[in-house]
Amino acid sequence: MASTVQFNQRVVRDDDGAHHAAGMVMIVLGVALVVIGALMLVYLGMTVVDILKDPDDIRLVSLILERTQTEGQAFFGQIGEFSVTFTIGEPLRTMIFVLVLLWILLALLRIVTSIVGAGRDLVTAGRQR
């Protein structure tokens, strides 16, 4: 003997418009998040362009460059009779700085895209209500 279970779903709508108001609030918040995320992306892009044009004009970049100045030897020591010296030149220091800066920018980009994605999801959910 086979048995079946059936679920009936009904859409309940409030007569006072609360259902519609909640959807509109979600849409407004979603659009606000998308706009804020887009503005943050524009600002992030302008900052990257400014860093590429003249890094000394950006206070944070100039501060990091001042603090990471190396004066000759980075690591040195002695193994038996041999003296070992490792120095970091300007190209290697710049490459490390660029890699760290790229890592930070990618993290910021992920945050901003998450904000835009949340806004998009809110707009979608608000339209379905």
Side-chain angles (χ1 to χ4, degrees):
M1 177 178 217
S3 62
T4 60
V5 178
Q6 183 178 4
F7 293 101
N8 293 325
Q9 294 181 346
R10 295 184 321 181
V11 176
V12 178
R13 298 193 181 209
D14 295 336
D15 291 333
D16 60 359
H19 184 75
H20 182 67
M24 287 303 295
V25 169
M26 291 174 71
I27 290 172
V28 168
L29 287 175
V31 169
L33 284 176
V34 169
V35 169
I36 289 170
L39 291 174
M40 289 173 71
L41 280 174
V42 169
Y43 179 74
L44 189 61
M46 288 173 34
T47 303
V48 168
V49 169
D50 288 343
I51 289 173
L52 292 175
K53 280 184 180 177
D54 192 14
D56 293 331
D57 285 344
I58 308 297
R59 178 71 181 132
L60 179 63
V61 175
S62 63
L63 181 68
I64 291 173
L65 288 176
E66 288 173 9
R67 304 290 176 167
T68 58
Q69 295 293 328
T70 58
E71 308 236 349
Q73 300 175 352
F75 302 106
F76 57 92
Q78 190 165 356
I79 301 175
E81 298 177 2
F82 300 103
S83 177
V84 178
T85 303
F86 180 73
T87 60
I88 297 178
E90 184 71 26
L92 183 59
R93 183 179 64 86
T94 303
M95 186 178 75
I96 291 171
F97 174 71
V98 167
L99 289 176
V100 169
L101 185 63
L102 182 65
W103 180 67
I104 291 170
L105 289 175
L106 287 175
L108 289 173
L109 182 65
R110 292 286 301 227
I111 291 169
V112 171
T113 55
S114 296
I115 291 171
V116 171
R120 184 191 67 230
D121 292 343
L122 275 175
V123 169
T124 302
R127 291 182 73 185
Q128 291 176 354
R129 289 194 137 241

